[in-house]
Amino acid sequence: MLTIMLSLFSPFSRIHISNDVLLTPVFLHGLSAFLHLLLLVAVSLSWVWNKLTTRVSDGSKEKHDNTLFKTTVFCSLAASVFSFLLCLFNYFYWYSSGWSEEKLVTLLDLALKTVAWGVICVCLHKGSFSSGERRFSFLFQAWCVFYLIASCYGFVVDIVVISERRVALPTQYLVSDVVSTCVGLIFCYVGYFVKNKGHVREKENNGIQEPLLNGSTNDGDALISEETKGGDTVTPFAYAGILSLLTFSWVGPLIAVGNKKTLDLEDVPQLESADSVVGAFPSFRGKLEADSGTINSVTTLKLVKSLLMSAWKEILFTAFLALLNTLASYVGPYLIDGFVQYLDGQRLYENQGYVLVSAFFFAKLVECLTQRHWFFRLQQVGLRIRALLVTMIYNKALTLSCQSKQGHTSGEIINFMTVDAERVGVFSWYMHDLWMVALQVTLALLILYKNLGLASIAAFVATIVVMLANVPLGSLQEKYQKKLMESKDTRMKTTSEILRNMKILKLQGWEMKFLSKITELRKTEQAWLKKFVYTAAMTTFVFWGAPTFVSVVTFGTCMLVGIPLETGKILSALATFRILQEPIYSLPDTISMIAQTKVSLDRIASFLRLDDLPSDVVEKLPRGSSDTAIEVVDGNFSWELSSPNPTLQNINLKVFHGMRVAVCGTVGSGKSTLLSCVLGEVPKISGLLKLCGTKAYVTQSPWIQSGKIEENILFGKQMDREKYEKVLEACSLKKDLEILSFGDQTIIGERGINLSGGQKQRIQIARALYQDADIYLFDDPFSAVDAHTGSHLFKECLLGLLSSKTVVYVTHQVEFLPAADLILVMKDGKITQSGKYADLLESGADFMELVGAHKKALSTLDSLDGSTMSNEISTLEHDVNVSGPQGFKEEEAIEDEQNGKTDNKSERNGQLVQEEEREKGRVGFSVYWKCITTAYGGALVPFILLAQILFQALQIGSNYWMAWATPISTDVEPPVNGTTLIVVYVSLAIGSSLCILARAMLLVTAGYKTATILFNKMHFCIFRAPMSFFDSTPSGRILNRASTDQSALDTDIPYQIASFAFIMIQLFAIIAVMSQAAWQVFVVFIPVIIVSIWYQQYYIPSARELSRLVGVCKAPIIQHFSETISGASTIRSFDQQSRFQETNMKLTDGYSRPKFNIAGAMEWLCFRLDMLSSITFAFSLIFLISIPPGFIDPGLAGLAVTYGLNLNMIQAWMIWNLCNMENKIISVERILQYTCIPSEPPLVVDENRPDPSWPSIGEVDIQDLQVRYAPHLPLVLCGLTCKFHGGLKTGIVGRTGSGKSTLIQTLFRIIEPAVGKVMIDNINISSIGLHDLRSRLSIIPQDPTMFEGTIRNNLDPLEEYTDEQIWEALDKCQLGDEVRKKEGKLDSKVSENGENWSMGQRQLVCLGRVLLKKSKVLVLDEATASVDTATDNLIQQTLRQHFTDSTVITIAHRITSVLDSDMVLLLSQGLIEEYDSPKRLLENKSSSFAQLVAEYTVRSNSSFGISDGH
C-alpha cells in the first residue's frame, strides 16, 4: 500500500517539494482548518433552525445499544483533548523562536479541531447526528468522507517528505496526521457499515417501542436491565470483554445507577458462582475433609492450605502482576540519572529525550494497570475466603456439643465470625508483601550499586537495621492485639447478656450498676488499646524516618569512601529510597497483619476442632420398622462427662407408637434433661437409646426467630392452607392474628420481643404441630399461658390433633396427668415411679407429694357451698372448652394497629421492628467535625498538621539541598565542601524525624481520647434509653455498634482522617516542587485536577451507598447466627440444619455483593485517576526536554521528576484514602446516632427525694389511670381507679391481654401514664426519680433471669448485703442446700443465661432477690409459671411468712395463687370489671371471677382422662 502511494507521488518528488503549494504544511493545515470551520458553521445553523422550529418531541429518546457508538463518542472526545494538548505543546515549543505564517496556521487548525471535535462529542452524546436506520445523518457522513480523504492525503505527504529527506519535518505533524487518519477511519466505518439497531427494532415492533432487555448483552443493555432488576442479574464482571475488564468498565453501569438514585440491594448484581459461597463452599469443604479426615481434626496449616487451594489461580495471577508492578516501578529511578545528564546537554543519540519520555510513560502505564488489577483480584480472593470461613463457623456452631458450647459463649462464637473471619479476609491484601519486600530491596540495591558503587552496601545494612528495629515492635504489637481481642470478647459477652435482660435491670433499678460493669471491662480493654496504639505510633516513627536514615548513612559512606556525588546520582538514589520506603514502611503492617491473621486462624481452627454432638447417642430406626417409638435401656447420661454422678441414672423406658407419656417431678429433678436425651443432646455414658420416626420439640422457654409469624409456624415446610388453619385453630392463635394488623404477616422482633409469653409459646406449639412429626416432645409449654388457654391447648393439641401420635410431655399441672397412658415421676435424675394415674395414686410416695400439693391448693375452694358449686360446674362442663375469648396480648395488637386499611407500601411502617435506619446521601461535615473536636475540643489538631507540614518542608529542603549542593558531573566544581553538605543534610533529616515523632504521638493521644469519649457517651445513652427502644431495636444493631463500629473508631478512623490530611499536604508539596521547575505544568495540572474531582464526585454517591449497604447487610448475618446458636437444639430436633445453612450462605453472599462491587468501583476510579496523573507526568517530562539546554537548572528539573514519579501513587492514595475515610466515618455516624437516643426521666430528682423509709405503709392509690404504648396508639388502660391497701395481698386476674402486665409496667414507670396518676403512700410516683422508685419496689418477673457470674452477684449485684444475709435468703427460698452442695458455695458459677440451673431454680433465685430486698410493695408477675405445684405452694408460703405486712400484688395464671388474697382485681380490656374480696366475689354466682374459678375447678377435676374414649 505504502509503495503504491509512494510511486503515485514520485512525479512530485522530482519537483522541489518546497515549491509545490499542495505539499506545504500551510496548505495542509489550512485545508483541515477550513473543513472543521465548515462543520462548526453547519452545526450552528442546524441548532438555530431546530430552536426556531421546535416541534413537540415524542419523548421516545433512542437508546444507543452499540459499543461502537460509545467508541465514537470517546474518539471524538479524545481527538478534542489531543488537539488541545498538541496546540499547547506547539505554543510553548515555538514561543521562544518567533512566529511564522506556517506556525500560526498550524495553531489555528489545532484550535478549530479542539472546538469542532468537542462539539461532535456533545452532538453524538445528545443523539443530534442520528437519522433513521443510519448512525449518522447524511451530511455528517459526507463530511466524514472528506475529512478522511484530507487526513490520508496529509499522512501520505508526510511519508513522502520523510522518505525524500529534503525537508526536516516536525514530529508533531506526523503524529497529528496519524491520529486524524485513525479517527476518520473509525467514523466512516460506523457511519456507513453499522445499522442503528434501535431503529430496526422499532420498525419490527410496528412503532411500539419496548425496552428490549434481552437484546445484546452489551453495556447499554446492561444498564437498562440493571435498573429494572439488578439483583437478579449476574455481575457483568462474569462475562465482560477484555477491554471492559482492563479498564473496569463493567462496574460503570452500577456507578451510573448510583448517580441517578440511592442504591439499594436490589440494584447490586449477584456474584458469579466462583465468588459466591453457594458455589464455592461444597468444593472447599470437600478439599478440607479430604485433607484432614474430619473437620474435627483440622489444624491451622490444613485450613490455610485449603483456603489457598480455593483461590490458587487468582493468587498466582496476582503474584505475576505484583512482580510486573515492582519491575515497572523501578524503571523511573533507574532512568533519572540519564535524564539529568540529558538536560545538562549530554545527548547520547538523536531523539534520546523522546525515548526517555516514552520509557518513563510506558513504565508508568504498566505500573498503573498491574497495580489496579493486582489489588482488585486480591480483594476478590479476600471476600471469597471470608465467606468460606463464615460458613464453616456457622455450620460448626450448629453441631457443637453442649460442653463445647459452655466453653464458648454466643458472644465469642459471633466474634469468630465478625472479627476473625473478617481479618483473615483482609489479609489477602498483604499476601504477596513478604516476597515482594525481598525483590524490591534487591532491585533497589542494584540501582544504588550502579549509581553509588560500594556505598550501596551501607544502604543495604541500614535497611536491614531498620527492618530489625521493627521486630520487637512487631511482636509487642501482636501481644497487645491478642490481649485487646480477649478483653473485647469479654466486654461483648457481657454487653449482649445485659441487652437480653435489659427489662429486668430496669425493673430492679440496676442498669447503672451494670453500665459501670461494662465501663470497668472497657477500661481493661482501653489499657491494652493504649499500649497497642502507642506501639503503633513508635512503628510509624521508625518507618517515616527510614528513608532519611538510610540516605544519611549512604551519603555519609560516599563521603568517607570518597565516591563522588553528582546531582543525577543523588536524585536517582533519593527516588530509590522513596520507593524502598514502601516495602520497609509496609513491613510492620505486614508483620502485624500476619501475626493477627495467625491468631485469628488459630482461633478459628481451634473452634472447628471442638467436639461435636456425638452422633452415636441415638440409634435411629427407619420409620415404621418397629412398634416402639422410644426405647431406653439402662441409660446413664450426663451433661458433664467428667462429673462423678451422672445427670440421669439408670433410665429404663419403653414408649410405643401413639402413647401419651407425662413426665412430672419437683424442680431440678431432670425432666427437661430427659427430653434432651431423647433428642440426642446429652452425652451418653452407657446404655441404649433407640428412636423410630421423625420428631418435633417444644422448649420450655420459647425460641422464636425474628421474621413473620407465618414463617415461624411453617418453619421451612410448604404452605398447606387447610392444615395451617387447623393448627392455628388448635393453638387458639386465630384471635391473636385478627388483632395484629398484619395478621400472620406481622414481623416478630428479636426473640419474639413484641409477643407475650403465651403467644410465643403457642406459636412454638403451632410450629411443632405443622411439622406433622411422629414423636412430639413438649417441655412444659402450658405454664406460660393462662388456665383457660392451657386447657384448650391440651385438649385441642394433645388430645385432638396429636391423638394418634407419640407424645412425651413434661408438666407441673397435675390436672394434665390423668390423660396420660404412662406417667414418669422423676427425682434426682432417676425415674422413681412409672405407671398410670390410678396405679400411682395407690403406690407412689413421690407422686402423692405432687398431687397432695395440688389438692391442698384446691382445698381453699372447699369453704364454698358444695351444692351450688357442682351446679355451676355442670352448666359449665358443656362449653368450657368452646366459648370464651382465647388469649391474645392486647398491647401488641395495639402496638401494630394502624388507622384504616394498609396497602403493601405502608405495610412496614406499622411493624414494631423497622428496617435498620441508614442515613442517605453524603456523610455530613458535622460528623467529621464532631470526630475531630471530641478530644480536647480539637486543640491537638493544629499541632498535628503543623508537625506534618514541617516534616514535609524539611524533607523537601533536605532533598533540594542535596540536588543544589552537588555538582552535575565530575568536572564541575561543587558549590560547598563535603562536610557542610552532610552536616546540613543530617540536621535537616533529624528535624524531620522529630516532627514525625511529635505527629505520631499527638495523633495517637487524640484518637485514643476520641474513642473513649464516644464509647462512654454511646453506652450511657443506650443504658438510659426507655424500654420501648429495646423492644423495637434488635440487639444485633446495638452490638454491631459496640463491636464493629467501636473497633473502627479505636484503631482506624482517627488515623484514616489524619492520613488523608497528610496526603493532601504531600500532594501540595509535590505540585509546588514540580511547578518550581516548570510552572507550565499547571496548564495540564489544573484540567486534570478538575477531571479527577469530577470523576471522584461521580463515583462517591455509589461508593457511599454501597458501604452503607455493607453495614446494613452485616447485621442480619450476625442476628441469624445468634438466633441459630440459641435455638440450635430446636433446629436439630426438627432436622432443619441444611435449611439454616442455606439461609446463612444467602445472607453471606448478600454481604459480599456490595463488598465486591465496592472493590470494583474503587479500582474503576483509581484506574482513571492513574491514567490522568500519568498524562500529567508525561506532559511535564515533554516540556522539560523541549526547553533549550541551560534554560533551567537540571538539578531542580531532576528533583521535579523524582517527586513526579510519586505523583500517580500519591494521587491514587489520596482518593483511596478519601473513599476509605468516607466509608469508615459511617461508623462514627452510626455511633453518634446512638448518642442522641431520647432518655428516660431522671434517675434521681434531687429536690424531690422520698424519705429513706418510704414506702412505710405500702398503700398504692391509682387515680383515673390511662396508659398507651405510644402517642399514636389507642389506650391500653382506659381510666382505672382503685386502691391497694397497705399490707394487703391483692390478686390481679383477667384473660391474656386485659392489661395486667401494663398495669405493673406503669407501676414501675416502664411506661409513663398518659392521664391520671399512681400514688404510693401519698407520693405521686411520677414526681420522684426512677431509681428512687424502682429500688423501693420489688418484683419477681415473668421470665426468671440469671446473669453469668456467681450465685452471690446474682442475688446481690449492688453488693449491699453480707454473706449471712444472702445465706439466710437462700435458705428461705429452699436453695440453701442446693448451693451448699456445690464446690464454690456462693461463688459457684452461673453460666450464660443461667443455663446450668433449671427454670424452676432460676425462679427461686428471683424469689431470693426479693427476700433480700424486703420491700413494702412486692409484685409477682406470673412468678410461679415455671414451677411445679409443690414449689409453687412453697413460694406462696415463704411469701406469706416473710411479707406479712407488705403490699403484695400478684398477677396469676393459677387461680389458686390468688384465692387466699385479701382482694381480687379483675381486669377486662383495660377496665376494672370487679374489685372485691375473693369470698364475696365467689358468693355472687354471676360474677366473672366465680366463673373463672369454676372453670379452673372443672379442669382440675375432669382430669382429661375422659376424652381418652373419643
Side-chain angles (χ1 to χ4, degrees), residues 1049-1067:
L1049 185 57
D1050 284 343
T1051 53
D1052 271 359
I1053 292 167
Y1055 312 102
Q1056 204 82 53
I1057 295 177
S1059 180
F1060 175 68
F1062 301 160
I1063 287 167
M1064 288 296 290
I1065 292 170
Q1066 219 170 335
L1067 192 63

PDB file of all heavy atoms in Angstrom, residues 1049-1067:
ATOM      1  N   LEU A1049     -13.453   2.798  65.288  1.00  0.00           N
ATOM      2  CA  LEU A1049     -13.133   4.080  65.928  1.00  0.00           C
ATOM      3  C   LEU A1049     -11.857   3.952  66.769  1.00  0.00           C
ATOM      4  O   LEU A1049     -11.052   4.874  66.838  1.00  0.00           O
ATOM      5  CB  LEU A1049     -14.314   4.512  66.802  1.00  0.00           C
ATOM      6  CG  LEU A1049     -14.214   5.878  67.465  1.00  0.00           C
ATOM      7  CD1 LEU A1049     -13.999   6.958  66.428  1.00  0.00           C
ATOM      8  CD2 LEU A1049     -15.467   6.195  68.256  1.00  0.00           C
ATOM      9  N   ASP A1050     -11.675   2.791  67.391  1.00  0.00           N
ATOM     10  CA  ASP A1050     -10.489   2.583  68.228  1.00  0.00           C
ATOM     11  C   ASP A1050      -9.208   2.609  67.408  1.00  0.00           C
ATOM     12  O   ASP A1050      -8.231   3.245  67.777  1.00  0.00           O
ATOM     13  CB  ASP A1050     -10.570   1.216  68.938  1.00  0.00           C
ATOM     14  CG  ASP A1050     -11.538   1.243  70.103  1.00  0.00           C
ATOM     15  OD1 ASP A1050     -11.873   2.356  70.547  1.00  0.00           O
ATOM     16  OD2 ASP A1050     -11.951   0.165  70.556  1.00  0.00           O
ATOM     17  N   THR A1051      -9.216   1.853  66.305  1.00  0.00           N
ATOM     18  CA  THR A1051      -7.923   1.619  65.644  1.00  0.00           C
ATOM     19  C   THR A1051      -7.824   2.152  64.224  1.00  0.00           C
ATOM     20  O   THR A1051      -6.761   2.062  63.624  1.00  0.00           O
ATOM     21  CB  THR A1051      -7.630   0.103  65.589  1.00  0.00           C
ATOM     22  OG1 THR A1051      -8.759  -0.524  64.986  1.00  0.00           O
ATOM     23  CG2 THR A1051      -7.434  -0.479  66.967  1.00  0.00           C
ATOM     24  N   ASP A1052      -8.919   2.682  63.662  1.00  0.00           N
ATOM     25  CA  ASP A1052      -8.848   3.069  62.252  1.00  0.00           C
ATOM     26  C   ASP A1052      -9.123   4.535  61.980  1.00  0.00           C
ATOM     27  O   ASP A1052      -8.330   5.221  61.367  1.00  0.00           O
ATOM     28  CB  ASP A1052      -9.896   2.283  61.449  1.00  0.00           C
ATOM     29  CG  ASP A1052      -9.352   0.975  60.959  1.00  0.00           C
ATOM     30  OD1 ASP A1052      -8.179   0.732  61.248  1.00  0.00           O
ATOM     31  OD2 ASP A1052     -10.082   0.219  60.318  1.00  0.00           O
ATOM     32  N   ILE A1053     -10.304   4.980  62.424  1.00  0.00           N
ATOM     33  CA  ILE A1053     -10.850   6.235  61.896  1.00  0.00           C
ATOM     34  C   ILE A1053      -9.947   7.456  62.120  1.00  0.00           C
ATOM     35  O   ILE A1053      -9.635   8.159  61.171  1.00  0.00           O
ATOM     36  CB  ILE A1053     -12.271   6.471  62.444  1.00  0.00           C
ATOM     37  CG1 ILE A1053     -13.184   5.408  61.844  1.00  0.00           C
ATOM     38  CG2 ILE A1053     -12.779   7.848  62.087  1.00  0.00           C
ATOM     39  CD1 ILE A1053     -14.525   5.284  62.470  1.00  0.00           C
ATOM     40  N   PRO A1054      -9.440   7.685  63.357  1.00  0.00           N
ATOM     41  CA  PRO A1054      -8.599   8.878  63.528  1.00  0.00           C
ATOM     42  C   PRO A1054      -7.401   8.853  62.587  1.00  0.00           C
ATOM     43  O   PRO A1054      -7.036   9.872  62.006  1.00  0.00           O
ATOM     44  CB  PRO A1054      -8.130   8.771  64.989  1.00  0.00           C
ATOM     45  CG  PRO A1054      -9.100   7.882  65.650  1.00  0.00           C
ATOM     46  CD  PRO A1054      -9.614   6.940  64.615  1.00  0.00           C
ATOM     47  N   TYR A1055      -6.839   7.650  62.392  1.00  0.00           N
ATOM     48  CA  TYR A1055      -5.638   7.538  61.554  1.00  0.00           C
ATOM     49  C   TYR A1055      -6.008   7.725  60.082  1.00  0.00           C
ATOM     50  O   TYR A1055      -5.223   8.224  59.299  1.00  0.00           O
ATOM     51  CB  TYR A1055      -4.944   6.199  61.826  1.00  0.00           C
ATOM     52  CG  TYR A1055      -4.831   6.001  63.317  1.00  0.00           C
ATOM     53  CD1 TYR A1055      -5.683   5.158  64.007  1.00  0.00           C
ATOM     54  CD2 TYR A1055      -3.926   6.778  64.064  1.00  0.00           C
ATOM     55  CE1 TYR A1055      -5.629   5.051  65.384  1.00  0.00           C
ATOM     56  CE2 TYR A1055      -3.868   6.678  65.445  1.00  0.00           C
ATOM     57  CZ  TYR A1055      -4.729   5.817  66.099  1.00  0.00           C
ATOM     58  OH  TYR A1055      -4.675   5.729  67.467  1.00  0.00           O
ATOM     59  N   GLN A1056      -7.224   7.305  59.730  1.00  0.00           N
ATOM     60  CA  GLN A1056      -7.682   7.452  58.347  1.00  0.00           C
ATOM     61  C   GLN A1056      -7.860   8.939  58.031  1.00  0.00           C
ATOM     62  O   GLN A1056      -7.427   9.416  56.991  1.00  0.00           O
ATOM     63  CB  GLN A1056      -9.036   6.737  58.223  1.00  0.00           C
ATOM     64  CG  GLN A1056      -9.351   6.312  56.823  1.00  0.00           C
ATOM     65  CD  GLN A1056      -8.681   5.005  56.473  1.00  0.00           C
ATOM     66  OE1 GLN A1056      -8.821   4.030  57.174  1.00  0.00           O
ATOM     67  NE2 GLN A1056      -7.947   4.987  55.387  1.00  0.00           N
ATOM     68  N   ILE A1057      -8.485   9.681  58.951  1.00  0.00           N
ATOM     69  CA  ILE A1057      -8.711  11.114  58.732  1.00  0.00           C
ATOM     70  C   ILE A1057      -7.354  11.829  58.656  1.00  0.00           C
ATOM     71  O   ILE A1057      -7.100  12.629  57.754  1.00  0.00           O
ATOM     72  CB  ILE A1057      -9.575  11.728  59.862  1.00  0.00           C
ATOM     73  CG1 ILE A1057     -10.973  11.113  59.841  1.00  0.00           C
ATOM     74  CG2 ILE A1057      -9.654  13.237  59.727  1.00  0.00           C
ATOM     75  CD1 ILE A1057     -11.888  11.576  60.950  1.00  0.00           C
ATOM     76  N   ALA A1058      -6.469  11.490  59.605  1.00  0.00           N
ATOM     77  CA  ALA A1058      -5.149  12.127  59.634  1.00  0.00           C
ATOM     78  C   ALA A1058      -4.394  11.800  58.354  1.00  0.00           C
ATOM     79  O   ALA A1058      -3.811  12.675  57.711  1.00  0.00           O
ATOM     80  CB  ALA A1058      -4.380  11.630  60.846  1.00  0.00           C
ATOM     81  N   SER A1059      -4.450  10.531  57.984  1.00  0.00           N
ATOM     82  CA  SER A1059      -3.732  10.062  56.799  1.00  0.00           C
ATOM     83  C   SER A1059      -4.162  10.877  55.576  1.00  0.00           C
ATOM     84  O   SER A1059      -3.348  11.271  54.750  1.00  0.00           O
ATOM     85  CB  SER A1059      -4.048   8.588  56.611  1.00  0.00           C
ATOM     86  OG  SER A1059      -3.393   8.106  55.505  1.00  0.00           O
ATOM     87  N   PHE A1060      -5.460  11.160  55.487  1.00  0.00           N
ATOM     88  CA  PHE A1060      -5.965  11.932  54.348  1.00  0.00           C
ATOM     89  C   PHE A1060      -5.362  13.340  54.373  1.00  0.00           C
ATOM     90  O   PHE A1060      -4.888  13.847  53.355  1.00  0.00           O
ATOM     91  CB  PHE A1060      -7.491  11.996  54.397  1.00  0.00           C
ATOM     92  CG  PHE A1060      -8.080  12.874  53.327  1.00  0.00           C
ATOM     93  CD1 PHE A1060      -7.997  12.491  52.003  1.00  0.00           C
ATOM     94  CD2 PHE A1060      -8.678  14.076  53.643  1.00  0.00           C
ATOM     95  CE1 PHE A1060      -8.513  13.297  51.004  1.00  0.00           C
ATOM     96  CE2 PHE A1060      -9.188  14.901  52.649  1.00  0.00           C
ATOM     97  CZ  PHE A1060      -9.110  14.505  51.327  1.00  0.00           C
ATOM     98  N   ALA A1061      -5.356  13.944  55.559  1.00  0.00           N
ATOM     99  CA  ALA A1061      -4.800  15.296  55.673  1.00  0.00           C
ATOM    100  C   ALA A1061      -3.319  15.299  55.287  1.00  0.00           C
ATOM    101  O   ALA A1061      -2.850  16.178  54.551  1.00  0.00           O
ATOM    102  CB  ALA A1061      -4.968  15.800  57.102  1.00  0.00           C
ATOM    103  N   PHE A1062      -2.570  14.278  55.755  1.00  0.00           N
ATOM    104  CA  PHE A1062      -1.130  14.213  55.465  1.00  0.00           C
ATOM    105  C   PHE A1062      -0.896  14.073  53.959  1.00  0.00           C
ATOM    106  O   PHE A1062       0.014  14.675  53.399  1.00  0.00           O
ATOM    107  CB  PHE A1062      -0.481  13.025  56.188  1.00  0.00           C
ATOM    108  CG  PHE A1062      -0.640  13.084  57.687  1.00  0.00           C
ATOM    109  CD1 PHE A1062      -0.499  11.933  58.456  1.00  0.00           C
ATOM    110  CD2 PHE A1062      -0.940  14.281  58.331  1.00  0.00           C
ATOM    111  CE1 PHE A1062      -0.652  11.984  59.837  1.00  0.00           C
ATOM    112  CE2 PHE A1062      -1.089  14.340  59.703  1.00  0.00           C
ATOM    113  CZ  PHE A1062      -0.951  13.182  60.460  1.00  0.00           C
ATOM    114  N   ILE A1063      -1.722  13.254  53.317  1.00  0.00           N
ATOM    115  CA  ILE A1063      -1.517  13.016  51.885  1.00  0.00           C
ATOM    116  C   ILE A1063      -1.809  14.290  51.102  1.00  0.00           C
ATOM    117  O   ILE A1063      -1.126  14.607  50.134  1.00  0.00           O
ATOM    118  CB  ILE A1063      -2.404  11.851  51.416  1.00  0.00           C
ATOM    119  CG1 ILE A1063      -1.810  10.550  51.950  1.00  0.00           C
ATOM    120  CG2 ILE A1063      -2.466  11.787  49.913  1.00  0.00           C
ATOM    121  CD1 ILE A1063      -2.718   9.384  51.827  1.00  0.00           C
ATOM    122  N   MET A1064      -2.834  15.039  51.553  1.00  0.00           N
ATOM    123  CA  MET A1064      -3.128  16.312  50.890  1.00  0.00           C
ATOM    124  C   MET A1064      -1.901  17.229  50.978  1.00  0.00           C
ATOM    125  O   MET A1064      -1.485  17.833  49.990  1.00  0.00           O
ATOM    126  CB  MET A1064      -4.325  17.011  51.571  1.00  0.00           C
ATOM    127  CG  MET A1064      -5.657  16.369  51.319  1.00  0.00           C
ATOM    128  SD  MET A1064      -6.137  16.429  49.594  1.00  0.00           S
ATOM    129  CE  MET A1064      -6.456  18.164  49.400  1.00  0.00           C
ATOM    130  N   ILE A1065      -1.317  17.285  52.176  1.00  0.00           N
ATOM    131  CA  ILE A1065      -0.131  18.142  52.365  1.00  0.00           C
ATOM    132  C   ILE A1065       0.988  17.677  51.431  1.00  0.00           C
ATOM    133  O   ILE A1065       1.653  18.472  50.766  1.00  0.00           O
ATOM    134  CB  ILE A1065       0.320  18.101  53.842  1.00  0.00           C
ATOM    135  CG1 ILE A1065      -0.733  18.788  54.715  1.00  0.00           C
ATOM    136  CG2 ILE A1065       1.679  18.758  54.016  1.00  0.00           C
ATOM    137  CD1 ILE A1065      -0.531  18.610  56.212  1.00  0.00           C
ATOM    138  N   GLN A1066       1.157  16.353  51.339  1.00  0.00           N
ATOM    139  CA  GLN A1066       2.212  15.789  50.493  1.00  0.00           C
ATOM    140  C   GLN A1066       1.962  16.129  49.025  1.00  0.00           C
ATOM    141  O   GLN A1066       2.887  16.478  48.285  1.00  0.00           O
ATOM    142  CB  GLN A1066       2.198  14.263  50.671  1.00  0.00           C
ATOM    143  CG  GLN A1066       3.575  13.668  50.705  1.00  0.00           C
ATOM    144  CD  GLN A1066       3.510  12.207  51.118  1.00  0.00           C
ATOM    145  OE1 GLN A1066       2.579  11.789  51.790  1.00  0.00           O
ATOM    146  NE2 GLN A1066       4.475  11.425  50.696  1.00  0.00           N
ATOM    147  N   LEU A1067       0.690  16.024  48.618  1.00  0.00           N
ATOM    148  CA  LEU A1067       0.327  16.288  47.221  1.00  0.00           C
ATOM    149  C   LEU A1067       0.636  17.739  46.877  1.00  0.00           C
ATOM    150  O   LEU A1067       1.236  18.026  45.836  1.00  0.00           O
ATOM    151  CB  LEU A1067      -1.168  15.999  47.031  1.00  0.00           C
ATOM    152  CG  LEU A1067      -1.655  15.941  45.595  1.00  0.00           C
ATOM    153  CD1 LEU A1067      -0.968  14.796  44.866  1.00  0.00           C
ATOM    154  CD2 LEU A1067      -3.154  15.743  45.542  1.00  0.00           C
TER     155      LEU A1067
END
